[in-house]
Amino acid sequence: MARPMRVAVIGAGPAGIYTADTLTKSDTPCEIDLFDRLPAPFGLVRYGVAPDHPRIKQIVHALHRVLDQPGVRLFGNVHYGRDVRLDDLRAHYDAVIMATGCERDRPLDIPGIDLPGSFGAAEFVKWYDGHPDVPRHWPLDAVHVGVIGAGNVALDVARVLAKSAEDMLDTEIPDDVFRGLVGNRATDVHVFARRGLAQAKFTPLELRELDHVPGVEIVVDPADVEFDEGSMAEIRSSKQTQMIVKTLQGWALRDRQDEPRRLHLHFLRRPVEVLGTERVTGLRTERMQLAGDGSVRGTGQLTDFPLQAVYRAVGYLGSHVAELYFDHDAGVIPHDAGRVLAMDGQLVPSVYAVGWIKRGPVGLIGHTKGCALETVGSLLTDAPGLVPAVYPEPSAIVDLLIERGVEYTSWDGWLRLDKHERQLGESRGRERMKVVSRSEMLDVSRSQ
Ligand SMILES: Cc1cc2nc3c(=O)[nH]c(=O)nc-3n(C[C@H](O)[C@H](O)[C@H](O)COP(=O)(O)OP(=O)(O)OC[C@H]3O[C@@H](n4cnc5c(N)ncnc54)[C@H](O)[C@@H]3O)c2cc1C
Ligand SMILES: NC(=O)c1ccc[n+]([C@@H]2O[C@H](COP(=O)([O-])OP(=O)(O)OC[C@H]3O[C@@H](n4cnc5c(N)ncnc54)[C@H](OP(=O)(O)O)[C@@H]3O)[C@@H](O)[C@H]2O)c1
């Protein structure tokens, strides 16, 4: 190709941005346009990572450097499937890479799950992270709260619910989130893991962090500390599991403290039913026992926990990506080393996938780098055979967006919003305060 290869990346989260980074570092000259349906970039780094994890939010600086290069453009507030379709992208680019991530809760099919007072973690996370598309009021009137699941999202949700609002005040949370948290009445947050200590999916750092939350006591029932042969094998083979088990055992053995709030970590308790008629009044759980290989089986022994709210943090799920075949159970785009597959298993020419929409909702931000390497490797291998874009001039896609009346945001627009949010934060002695409303984000980003 006599001109640079033109690539459209749909989704400006870590996977999309690391894909752009990998492409710009390759020997093949490339021009990359990233599209995101949100007016701001960074995906779950901005709208998933907990606000009290500023160290992780700093990854934004590395992602920022990738977007701040010639040859990489950002088009925010552009919804693939609505504002642009696959044919448009194929006409303007030589290749299209889907990096749309996973944004909703995996369903938990138990009776009572739809009662008022039962929430998905993803929605709560979006609320406290100031996502423009969720209602700005969150009911925090429950005194005893349940969180189902034993992954890092469950820990985030439980920690935010257990923390005092004042301890969130130095973060980037918007004012309405702070006001909501001030009204939080929770004194006891119960996390329910359906398997044992050695099967928990927490990471050691995030688990140990709980013990440093001011005013919160961590409670682990010694009766929950159980291991089978499968657990022992897991502990022997994984340093991470060793650390998690050691931390949890330590908490189970120590004397009770006298803190104003408690975070209870329950193991071997399967959620059976969210109780209540008008709204949530509790959670029925079944005691599980380890089966020998690290899996669990029910004992039939039921325990009801009186609770006024239940959050399910049982994993995220990807949403169907317009015009592509989708595996609805796994919530992913079927692929072969990043090359998107059609329903009949054939390759969809010039379309690729990367990140959580390719691999499913598991793994840290850093893991999307390796994923990007694989997808870009496939694309570069295929490059000589790709059907060239009909309208490869960089201005052509801009003309199309303008013609369609799409109020897109740009990299310069993000720099304006970034500066504005920092100034808002500064006036309150904080590093940043997020702008939440989409229209305000657009006004600031699109102002000249
Ligand atoms: C609550 C939570 C907290 C987390 N905290 C951490 C943490 O502390 N540390 C860590 O290492 N990892 C953390 N992770 C994991 C990390 O966020 C993921 O590994 C990573 O974000 C996945 O990247 P991605 O680019 O595939 O998806 P995403 O980050 O979800 O990015 C996808 C992007 O695609 C855009 N998009 C979707 N559909 C469209 C469309 N139709 N048109 C245009 N754009 C679209 C979205 O707006 C989004 O910006 C967390 C995950 C969650 C759920
Ligand atoms: N600070 C951080 O680094 C951070 C923060 C948030 C998220 N993340 C990452 O983001 C990814 C997603 O995290 P996640 O917490 O959403 O997912 P996850 O790690 O897969 O954890 C999901 C949890 O839900 C449980 N679960 C699933 N179905 C269930 C059911 N029907 N009933 C009861 N429990 C059920 C799982 O139990 P089983 O194991 O028994 O299936 C597991 O404990 C992970 O890789 C995580 O590490 C990282």
Side-chain angles (χ1 to χ4, degrees):
M1 227 177 262
R3 55 171 175 79
M5 180 164 69
R6 302 228 349 108
V7 182
V9 178
I10 309 301
I17 297 176
Y18 284 132
T19 298
D21 190 36
T22 311
L23 280 167
T24 55
K25 287 176 176 156
S26 76
D27 294 335
T28 305
C30 293
E31 288 171 351
I32 302 132
D33 288 346
L34 285 117
F35 296 85
D36 205 290
R37 63 180 195 82
L38 292 169
F42 309 129
L44 283 170
V45 181
R46 185 173 160 98
Y47 292 119
V49 171
D52 58 346
H53 279 171
R55 193 183 51 79
I56 300 170
K57 295 256 185 204
Q58 296 301 316
I59 291 177
V60 161
H61 296 310
L63 301 177
H64 181 110
R65 282 194 291 275
V66 178
L67 295 176
D68 195 24
Q69 325 178 52
V72 180
R73 296 190 299 182
L74 175 70
F75 294 94
N77 202 38
V78 180
H79 194 140
Y80 167 76
R82 186 193 66 191
D83 301 323
V84 286
R85 303 190 60 90
L86 195 53
D87 278 351
D88 303 319
L89 296 174
R90 281 208 171 112
H92 291 81
Y93 299 92
D94 306 309
V96 180
I97 304 182
M98 298 298 173
T100 51
C102 301
E103 292 187 288
R104 59 193 172 118
D105 290 289
R106 176 170 283 283
L108 177 63
D109 189 15
I110 57 173
I113 200 70
D114 293 325
L115 279 169
S118 167
F119 306 105
E123 293 305 296
F124 182 53
V125 166
K126 283 181 188 163
W127 173 74
Y128 67 57
D129 255 341
H131 194 291
D133 299 342
V134 296
R136 291 324 303 159
H137 171 74
W138 196 272
L140 288 165
D141 47 356
V143 176
H144 295 93
V145 184
V147 179
I148 300 171
N152 281 330
V153 173
L155 286 189
D156 279 350
V157 166
R159 191 183 65 255
V160 170
L161 287 167
K163 244 180 178 173
S164 76
E166 283 67 31
D167 286 328
M168 297 290 280
L169 197 50
D170 60 347
T171 72
E172 61 185 33
I173 51 169
D175 272 344
D176 58 9
V177 173
F178 177 69
R179 283 196 300 275
L181 292 175
V182 168
N184 179 13
R185 297 182 58 220
T187 60
D188 288 79
V189 179
H190 297 262
V191 174
F192 296 96
R194 62 178 169 183
R195 297 194 284 155
L197 279 63
Q199 289 79 34
K201 289 188 174 150
F202 313 135
T203 43
L205 195 67
E206 278 61 33
L207 183 65
R208 285 199 298 255
E209 178 190 354
L210 294 183
D211 212 23
H212 303 291
V213 180
V216 177
E217 175 184 0
I218 311 299
V219 184
V220 178
D221 184 346
D224 285 1
V225 180
E226 237 181 60
F227 305 104
D228 61 354
E229 195 34 55
S231 308
M232 296 312 294
E234 183 62 28
I235 293 167
R236 280 192 297 271
S237 66
S238 158
K239 187 112 184 101
Q240 174 153 321
T241 308
Q242 261 170 47
M243 287 194 275
I244 289 165
V245 166
K246 194 171 163 214
T247 301
L248 291 168
Q249 275 181 313
W251 290 344
L253 291 174
R254 73 183 175 191
D255 293 337
R256 290 291 300 265
Q257 299 146 9
D258 189 21
E259 298 287 0
R261 296 179 304 282
R262 286 150 297 281
L263 202 162
H264 309 256
L265 296 170
H266 303 278
F267 294 88
L268 296 166
R269 293 210 174 268
R270 179 178 74 89
V272 174
E273 181 178 352
V274 179
L275 302 171
T277 45
E278 303 288 308
R279 52 166 300 116
V280 171
T281 56
L283 181 71
R284 178 161 296 160
T285 63
E286 180 183 14
R287 183 76 186 175
M288 308 301 281
Q289 61 183 201
L290 286 156
D293 59 357
S295 66
V296 285
R297 58 175 167 243
T299 63
Q301 185 197 326
L302 301 178
T303 308
D304 293 350
F305 289 81
L307 306 166
Q308 296 85 48
V310 169
Y311 292 74
R312 56 189 182 282
V314 296
Y316 274 53
L317 194 65
S319 302
H320 178 231
V321 178
E323 299 177 83
L324 295 177
Y325 172 57
F326 198 67
D327 177 342
H328 287 274
D329 289 336
V332 295
I333 301 176
H335 71 98
D336 177 8
R339 296 177 177 95
V340 168
L341 299 176
M343 193 156 64
D344 60 4
Q346 298 294 308
L347 295 179
V348 178
S350 68
V351 185
Y352 299 79
V354 71
W356 274 18
I357 198 63
K358 166 189 169 191
R359 287 183 297 119
V362 180
L364 303 180
I365 296 161
H367 293 139
T368 59
K369 269 187 193 177
C371 183
L373 272 178
E374 181 188 60
T375 296
V376 170
S378 296
L379 167 57
L380 295 179
T381 305
D382 300 347
L386 293 174
V387 177
V390 188
Y391 310 112
E393 312 77 34
S395 58
I397 189 74
V398 179
D399 293 343
L400 182 80
L401 294 176
I402 292 171
E403 188 190 305
R404 290 190 180 165
V406 180
E407 291 187 293
Y408 68 90
T409 59
S410 62
W411 178 240
D412 284 346
W414 161 249
L415 295 179
R416 274 190 287 275
L417 182 58
D418 184 39
K419 189 171 164 200
H420 179 76
E421 290 188 339
R422 285 175 187 283
Q423 284 169 346
L424 283 178
E426 226 169 78
S427 62
R428 289 173 165 79
R430 294 151 66 178
E431 194 182 323
R432 169 191 301 275
M433 200 170 82
K434 268 185 189 165
V435 172
V436 179
S437 103
R438 190 180 275 263
S439 61
E440 194 182 340
M441 290 173 85
L442 291 179
D443 285 348
V444 176
S445 300
R446 287 169 61 83
S447 64
Q448 288 306 322

